Amino acid sequence: MDDPHRTPDADDPLLVIVDGANVVGSRPDGWWRDRRGAAERLRDRLAAEGLPGRPGPVEIVLVVEGAARGVPSVPGVRVEEAPGSGDDRIVELAAQSPARPRLVVTADRELRGRVTALGAEVTGPRTILG
């Protein structure tokens, strides 16, 4: 866990926290038939492409919940399983790193409000999906 009293360092990579259920659910491509497979495809896309339009190093964390649990991490993407609400886990992750730049990828209005109150930036699923 980051030291909340430490000032941000120029070398701190951007922490990108991806709301897996929200991003996957933003496209009606049949994801509901295989939620875990959809989360794996999103993880693999993030591992291959990173975060389009964001130069420099990033640390990507994909938060999964429900039927998508069990998706393993891969190089370039750490997968975090939410024991309950994915939104609550995302807020926890954003709160753990107040000294570094954070970007949450979601279209969920309530979640956007919760993480911006913590100082995180927010962007929508199109950032990843185009």
Side-chain angles (χ1 to χ4, degrees):
M1 185 183 309
D2 288 352
D3 177 354
H5 303 291
R6 187 180 68 79
T7 56
D9 191 68
D11 294 332
D12 283 347
L14 174 67
L15 175 61
V16 179
I17 306 168
V18 180
D19 181 350
N22 187 267
V23 172
V24 164
S26 70
R27 288 219 168 135
D29 62 0
W31 59 265
W32 52 89
R33 290 188 290 268
D34 181 10
R35 293 170 192 253
R36 183 175 172 167
E40 289 172 340
R41 287 188 297 279
L42 175 58
R43 176 208 57 201
D44 293 348
R45 181 178 189 152
L46 289 165
E49 299 175 12
L51 187 67
R54 291 285 179 153
V58 296
E59 177 185 351
I60 299 175
V61 179
L62 174 62
V63 177
V64 297
E65 61 186 282
R69 287 189 192 108
V71 172
S73 297
V74 296
V77 179
R78 185 175 90 227
V79 178
E80 287 275 337
E81 292 184 0
S85 161
D87 291 2
D88 289 346
R89 184 65 185 132
I90 290 165
V91 170
E92 289 171 6
L93 290 167
Q96 286 175 358
S97 303
R100 71 188 289 194
R102 292 151 294 151
L103 176 67
V104 175
V105 182
T106 187
D108 182 304
R109 285 186 195 174
E110 182 183 335
L111 179 57
R112 291 169 81 96
R114 291 173 69 190
V115 297
T116 56
L118 296 170
E121 291 180 67
V122 185
T123 191
R126 285 188 190 178
T127 301
I128 295 171
L129 302 175

